[in-house]
Amino acid sequence: MKKTLLLATAIVMASPTAFAQSSLQRFYLGGGGGISNITNNMDAVILPVAGATASSVTYDKTSNPVRAFAGFRFTPNWGIEVGAQSVGQFDARRVVTAPAATTTDASWTVRGGYADLVLSVPFGDDTWSVNGKVGAMRATTRMESTTAGVTTTSTGNKFAFRYGVGLQFSLNRWLAFRADAEVNKGATNSNLGGLSTDPLEYNVFTGSFLVKF
């Protein structure tokens, strides 16, 4: 009788834990978009022209990123996320007025695949969670520039260190919305086709919907 009671008690005590583990939705898929910007002060570094003594520059400070991703949660708090992301397209123009007048136009895109380690801390009866992530992106920058009617194209690849934070809200058991802010350090090489004297890094802010299963 005592053994039976002990066994029953152990089953009852273990049941919540077993239920919590079985109810953990380990996989998710998602996608979204938002706004990105270049963190550098580009006035001095973008489209440099050797020997120019007087010039001006205009450029896009923001663009529109998009992404698609998949994630796996090892535990309720830790997981890994992989995805593909376009940081966006940026345009710039450098006008040199001395010693000789010339204009250079450039357009470049940044995209690639990434992998992040993700830490999630739930609150509000697990409806909300705060996320932190760190990882890397294999960034490909494709640049096209035109000077004096001559157009050149160049491409560069670089591993960019990434980190960021996010806030997630579960709409129901299967669907959630997440807002992310992240930094992609040095995602574009310096001197890629004469684009910049410094590596370019990008802030990316996105809103994404997730399907959990």
Side-chain angles (χ1 to χ4, degrees), residues 21-200:
Q21 291 177 345
S22 64
S23 63
L24 175 61
Q25 293 162 292
R26 294 187 180 274
F27 295 94
Y28 61 86
L29 297 173
I35 189 169
S36 59
N37 63 56
I38 301 170
T39 65
N40 311 59
N41 180 355
M42 294 176 58
D43 290 357
V45 303
I46 196 70
L47 299 179
V49 177
T53 57
S55 68
S56 61
V57 64
T58 56
Y59 57 89
D60 292 337
K61 296 181 179 179
T62 62
S63 190
N64 299 112
V66 293
R67 67 172 52 169
F69 53 86
F72 175 75
R73 299 169 67 187
F74 305 112
T75 72
N77 298 110
W78 289 98
I80 189 170
E81 181 175 302
V82 296
Q85 173 174 279
S86 170
V87 176
Q89 177 176 313
F90 300 85
D91 298 296
R93 167 173 285 188
R94 171 76 67 176
V95 178
V96 177
T97 54
T102 184
T103 299
T104 299
D105 291 300
S107 177
W108 68 100
T109 58
V110 185
R111 58 172 60 97
Y114 69 87
D116 294 333
L117 180 66
V118 181
L119 171 64
S120 299
V121 180
F123 65 95
D125 204 21
D126 289 349
T127 301
W128 295 86
S129 65
V130 175
N131 307 313
K133 60 182 177 181
V134 61
M137 176 182 180
R138 177 63 169 173
T140 297
T141 301
R142 184 181 185 278
M143 178 205 171
E144 184 176 281
S145 64
T146 302
T147 304
V150 178
T151 299
T152 60
T153 301
S154 55
T155 302
N157 298 302
K158 190 175 186 297
F159 279 104
F161 173 65
R162 292 161 45 88
Y163 59 89
V165 295
L167 180 64
Q168 182 169 309
F169 175 70
S170 293
L171 301 169
N172 54 46
R173 176 173 170 78
W174 309 107
L175 187 64
F177 178 81
R178 192 178 77 192
D180 289 301
E182 68 188 37
V183 178
N184 296 270
K185 301 285 288 183
T188 298
N189 284 316
S190 61
N191 292 321
L192 173 64
L195 174 60
S196 173
T197 57
D198 295 342
L200 299 182

